[in-house]
Amino acid sequence: MPRLHVRSARELAVELDGGQRFALHPIWLRERCRDARSMDLRTGQRLHDPSDLDPDLSITSVSEPESGLYRIRFSDGHEADLVGRQLLEEAALAPADHDVPAPVLWDATTGQVRRFGWTATPDDAQLHEWLRRFLEAGFIVFRGVPVLPGSLLSVGATFGFTRETNFGALFDVRSTAEASDLAYTSLPLDPHTDNPYRDPVPGVQLLHCLVNETSGGLSTLVDGFAAARALEDRDPDAFALLSRTPVRFRYQDEATDLVASAVPIQLDADGGLVAIHFSPRLDFVPLQPPERLDAYYRARRAFDRLLRSPEFEIRFLLAAGELLMMDNRRLLHGRTGFDPAEGVRHLQGCYIDIDGPRSLYRVVRRRLAGKHRG
Ligand SMILES: [Fe+2]
């Protein structure tokens, strides 16, 4: 854990886990004053625009009147008590940390399909376990979800708000003669992320199996973050190219014309993985001179090989009453082909945003911590 210490009468310093030490910036501290003159105490929202603060704001005095409480007087005359624990909790977060369990990357050897029994009235301990599993692995499988059309919407509503699209609140996945998408055929589907032509891309997909009488049609999953890190290791040029080449994705039907651009491997400013956008049936790289396209196609092929390799893929039968919920910005999904003559295969899908499960995780964690304290 990081530590705070009063280094002089005018300086509060932090020491981070890696040993790095520096003085806390006066404006950074002033923005975090939680007194009634600085902040609306009910909403936690600031009552002033911090850009109006004196750019040369300084600390005129700092003391620790009781352990873990820092009394700071600023050069604009404002004085406030700041709680060390709150400053440290924020200091402990990496810049892109969402304050939820970090992804635990997996491949075909370490990836495991655990099935959790669904209940429509989970207690906080169950919710915490489910959400932790989902946030770490990027997916969770529930069994015992009522085999009724639309019941996946109540599972989705447990974790967030349904993201309606031009397909409606939910969509049916079964083979039809005049399919508008290859998902609605019996063909195998290579690993892909869903709907990269939307902006924003759906964060989480739920797939609920209502009937599966076929012996094929296995669900496949790949941890795109693990494959991307493997690409970075084995072919750093390909990784770099795929993280900076925007690709155009498009979906068209009579009433809809969606176009969005995204880099296949999206990184944050610190090189952390944000999202994978990969759908080789829908991607159209913008025109570039042939030598640059050569490099792009070589890089895409290298990534595609990893994504389709048995090294990264897990496959399993999603049986009737089972529901797969997956992070569509991290995982790629697909299915093996099946013989529609064997019987019916009917799944329903819907989307929710990724911020829902993250929010619920923090709320449940806070409730559980309160219970333990009480
Ligand atoms: Fe899909």
Side-chain angles (χ1 to χ4, degrees):
M1 269 299 279
R3 291 185 313 149
L4 290 173
H5 55 107
V6 179
R7 202 145 69 176
S8 75
R10 291 168 168 245
E11 187 177 301
L12 181 60
V14 67
E15 180 177 340
L16 299 180
D17 282 343
Q20 193 188 10
R21 287 176 181 213
F22 51 86
L24 292 174
H25 194 291
I27 294 179
W28 192 89
L29 287 166
R30 183 74 168 77
E31 287 176 341
R32 282 154 184 77
C33 290
R34 299 195 185 202
D35 56 280
R37 275 191 300 148
S38 305
M39 183 179 277
D40 179 79
L41 298 177
R42 197 174 53 81
T43 61
Q45 289 171 7
R46 229 174 259 141
L47 292 171
H48 60 95
D49 180 341
S51 291
D52 291 337
L53 293 170
D54 175 5
D56 298 319
L57 188 79
S58 61
I59 293 173
T60 54
S61 74
V62 54
S63 61
E64 191 176 358
E66 57 184 88
S67 178
L69 191 75
Y70 299 91
R71 181 157 300 159
I72 301 176
R73 192 171 180 84
F74 296 91
S75 55
D76 62 359
H78 188 74
E79 185 179 281
D81 288 343
L82 285 100
V83 179
R85 181 179 48 79
Q86 291 167 349
L87 299 176
L88 288 172
E89 280 172 1
E90 195 175 343
L93 295 177
D97 196 325
H98 292 107
D99 192 21
V100 292
V104 178
L105 306 193
W106 52 263
D107 59 19
T109 315
T110 53
Q112 283 182 348
V113 181
R114 279 182 59 199
R115 288 167 166 84
F116 293 78
W118 172 253
T119 164
T121 51
D123 61 24
D124 279 350
Q126 273 171 314
L127 276 175
H128 188 267
E129 188 188 13
W130 293 349
L131 287 159
R132 188 179 181 85
R133 162 72 191 182
F134 169 73
L135 293 164
E136 286 181 349
F139 74 101
I140 183 167
V141 177
F142 293 110
R143 58 181 159 68
V145 177
V147 186
L148 294 168
S151 57
L152 84 169
L153 292 176
S154 51
V155 177
T158 301
F159 298 103
F161 296 99
T162 304
R163 166 92 182 275
E164 265 192 66
T165 70
N166 54 302
F167 302 140
L170 60 80
F171 47 90
D172 286 279
V173 185
R174 58 184 150 199
S175 50
T176 61
E178 289 185 10
S180 65
D181 189 296
L182 288 177
Y184 310 144
T185 68
S186 57
L187 293 171
L189 289 177
D190 284 334
H192 62 278
T193 58
D194 254 27
N195 294 195
Y197 43 77
R198 295 188 198 282
D199 186 6
V201 162
V204 179
Q205 180 175 190
L206 286 80
L207 271 179
H208 178 212
C209 181
L210 294 172
V211 190
N212 191 358
E213 297 168 349
T214 72
S215 53
L218 300 182
S219 298
T220 64
L221 287 177
V222 172
D223 185 347
F225 283 7
R229 287 298 180 212
L231 183 69
E232 185 180 25
D233 256 15
R234 300 172 200 181
D235 194 342
D237 291 344
F239 176 86
L241 200 67
L242 294 182
S243 70
R244 58 167 196 260
T245 306
V247 173
R248 195 173 292 124
F249 298 96
R250 185 166 204 158
Y251 174 89
Q252 285 176 306
D253 63 24
E254 214 175 353
T256 314
D257 198 332
L258 295 161
V259 182
S261 290
V263 291
I265 300 175
Q266 186 185 341
L267 304 176
D268 64 24
D270 296 313
L273 288 159
V274 174
I276 305 295
H277 306 283
F278 198 87
S279 189
R281 294 174 195 266
L282 292 171
D283 63 331
F284 295 93
V285 65
L287 183 64
Q288 299 173 60
E291 59 280 4
R292 287 181 56 185
L293 283 180
D294 261 351
Y296 170 77
Y297 288 131
R298 196 188 59 74
R300 184 181 64 176
R301 193 177 307 119
F303 193 32
D304 189 80
R305 290 272 150 82
L306 291 179
L307 294 171
R308 286 198 289 168
S309 119
E311 185 184 347
F312 289 98
E313 183 199 86
I314 56 172
R315 51 175 70 182
F316 55 97
L317 183 81
L318 201 63
E322 292 187 337
L323 182 147
L324 166 64
M325 179 167 102
M326 61 195 141
D327 182 343
N328 186 51
R329 293 162 56 88
R330 169 180 164 194
L331 263 56
L332 294 89
H333 63 280
R335 63 144 193 259
T336 61
F338 60 94
D339 178 2
E342 277 184 359
V344 179
R345 183 180 187 275
H346 182 194
L347 282 76
Q348 286 191 317
C350 73
Y351 303 112
I352 62 171
D353 290 325
I354 187 69
D355 55 1
R358 287 175 181 160
S359 164
L360 184 61
Y361 177 83
R362 293 184 207 103
V363 169
V364 167
R365 182 180 59 189
R366 198 165 63 201
R367 285 202 301 244
L368 287 172
K371 199 182 284 178
H372 291 150
R373 268 206 298 276

